Amino acid sequence: MNNTFPFLTEFDGKVPEIHDTVYVDISARIIGNVVIDEGASIWPMTVIRADAAKIAIGKRTVISDFAFIESPEEYPVKIEDEVLVSHGATIHGAHIGSRSLVGIGAIVLDGAVVSPGCIIGAGSFIAAGAFIPPNSLVMGTPGRVIREIKHGEHNNIQRQIELLYEKSRRYMGL
């Protein structure tokens, strides 16, 4: 298996399940009980490690360069559809709702729930067990809801996801 897909690592009999429309950069590493849905993209130097609990990544979700996603015991990770996880972000045992953006270098910890349509600002820290209401802009350490997301901000996230989806197709030679 690893000769064909060197970025995949089996762990305890669990082999990552990746839809054939997913772009995965050759330098990424995907380990164990991971399921990645159609049209998602996994960019350079990303690590997705599910050697304790499951990680599920939704349709057309973008996991940017140097992101780290891990699911510790009792804290499976779910990243819903059309989420943008930015460069160097860490998702550790958390749930990220659809059409959200997790900013550059942000950290979201065990049991935290980021509801749909949120923006977690660059460098923000979401504590274990935190609940972020839908359509919230969160900034700071610890992360605090600053205000509700504006319509134009949602459009910007969708535009970024679309641009990265199209770029991933070019990387795949499609």
Side-chain angles (χ1 to χ4, degrees):
M1 176 185 83
N2 282 351
N3 290 335
T4 306
F5 302 107
F7 47 80
L8 300 180
T9 301
E10 177 181 337
F11 183 80
D12 277 349
K14 303 278 188 190
V15 178
E17 296 177 34
I18 300 173
H19 193 276
D20 60 4
T21 61
V22 171
Y23 167 69
V24 180
D25 185 83
I26 194 73
S27 67
R29 176 66 63 199
I30 303 170
I31 302 164
N33 190 9
V34 177
V35 176
I36 305 175
D37 211 338
E38 62 187 276
S41 56
I42 312 300
W43 294 88
M45 306 302 288
T46 292
V47 175
I48 302 171
R49 183 160 58 90
D51 55 9
K54 182 177 181 175
I55 295 173
I57 297 174
K59 295 176 184 172
R60 291 175 68 118
T61 284
V62 176
I63 310 297
S64 297
D65 314 51
F66 297 102
F68 176 66
I69 301 169
E70 182 183 5
S71 55
E73 287 291 335
E74 300 182 28
Y75 291 102
V77 170
K78 182 167 185 172
I79 301 174
E80 295 183 5
D81 297 342
E82 298 185 327
V83 171
L84 177 52
V85 176
S86 297
H87 309 284
T90 298
I91 310 293
H92 194 274
H95 183 130
I96 310 296
S98 61
R99 296 173 305 285
S100 291
L101 181 146
V102 178
I104 294 170
I107 299 171
V108 185
L109 291 183
D110 301 349
V113 175
V114 175
S115 297
C118 290
I119 296 175
I120 306 302
S124 294
F125 173 78
I126 307 304
F131 175 79
I132 307 301
N135 302 308
S136 295
L137 172 63
V138 176
M139 298 181 76
T141 302
R144 290 187 173 85
V145 175
I146 303 300
R147 62 171 168 78
E148 192 168 309
I149 298 300
K150 298 175 183 171
H151 182 69
E153 291 167 321
H154 282 297
N155 290 342
N156 186 42
I157 294 168
Q158 289 307 121
R159 189 169 32 258
Q160 289 178 58
I161 288 170
E162 184 61 33
L163 287 170
L164 287 164
Y165 174 79
E166 293 302 324
K167 187 181 279 186
S168 75
R169 302 303 93 182
R170 291 179 18 226
Y171 271 93
M172 292 175 77
L174 302 176

